[in-house]
Amino acid sequence: MQKLQRTGTTVYSMNYSKLITPFTMKPDEYEPTGDYLQGMIELVRLAKRNTMDALTETTGGKRFGFETKAGLERDLMLLSKDIHNRYLLSFTPAVEQTSTFHKIEIKVNAPGAVTRARDGYWSTTQ
C-alpha cells in the first residue's frame, strides 16, 4: 500500500461473483457445473477482510461489483464518468528525516458535491 500511495496510483476494482451468477441468469442460459466446492470457497473468501476494499479506500479509488452483463456495462460507464470527473490536487511536502504518513482531509463547499480522496501521503526523506 505504501508503494501505491507513494506513486500516486488510484486503484479501481470491478468484481464478479461466480456464486451469484446462477441466481441472475435466465433458466435456459444456466448450465450447472457441479462445482459446489468453489461456491463454499467463495463464501469463506467473502467472510475475510477484502483486499480490494483496502486498496481502493487507501488510494482514493472505488469498488464496483456486478452480477450480470447489464451490470458490467453500467459499472463500466460509472467508472469512466468517475475517472473523467476527477480533479487532481497536488503539492510538494517538505523533506523529512524519516518517512512518515500524514493524514489529509479534503473539504468542498458546494451543495451536493461528493469528495473521495486517499487517506494521506508518505513524506520523502533526505
Side-chain angles (χ1 to χ4, degrees):
M1 286 209 220
Q2 278 189 28
K3 287 182 181 181
L4 287 172
Q5 289 175 331
R6 288 181 193 281
T7 59
T9 303
T10 302
V11 175
Y12 289 87
S13 72
M14 299 188 81
N15 55 307
Y16 161 81
S17 175
K18 183 177 177 181
L19 182 64
I20 297 174
T21 301
F23 301 104
T24 62
M25 298 179 77
K26 295 177 183 172
D28 58 332
E29 293 176 349
Y30 177 64
E31 294 179 25
T33 62
D35 192 2
Y36 300 107
L37 178 60
Q38 184 62 35
M40 295 304 293
I41 292 170
E42 178 77 1
L43 286 173
V44 170
R45 184 191 64 78
L46 290 172
K48 295 180 181 177
R49 181 167 188 250
N50 192 298
T51 303
M52 289 313 297
D53 280 343
L55 290 173
T56 55
E57 290 169 15
T58 301
T59 63
K62 192 171 183 179
R63 182 175 181 196
F64 297 91
F66 62 94
E67 293 87 30
T68 63
K69 180 182 173 189
L72 171 62
E73 292 168 352
R74 179 200 65 233
D75 286 352
L76 285 171
M77 292 303 295
L78 291 171
L79 174 62
S80 68
K81 286 180 182 178
D82 192 79
I83 290 172
H84 292 290
N85 289 315
R86 297 190 83 170
Y87 287 93
L88 176 65
L89 303 175
S90 64
F91 62 96
T92 305
V95 177
E96 298 178 354
Q97 295 291 4
T98 59
S99 182
T100 55
F101 185 76
H102 297 273
K103 289 196 66 67
I104 57 174
E105 184 178 356
I106 305 296
K107 294 181 182 179
V108 177
N109 188 14
V114 176
T115 61
R116 192 172 62 250
R118 62 186 70 240
D119 294 335
Y121 68 92
W122 286 92
S123 61
T124 57
T125 58
Q126 297 177 349

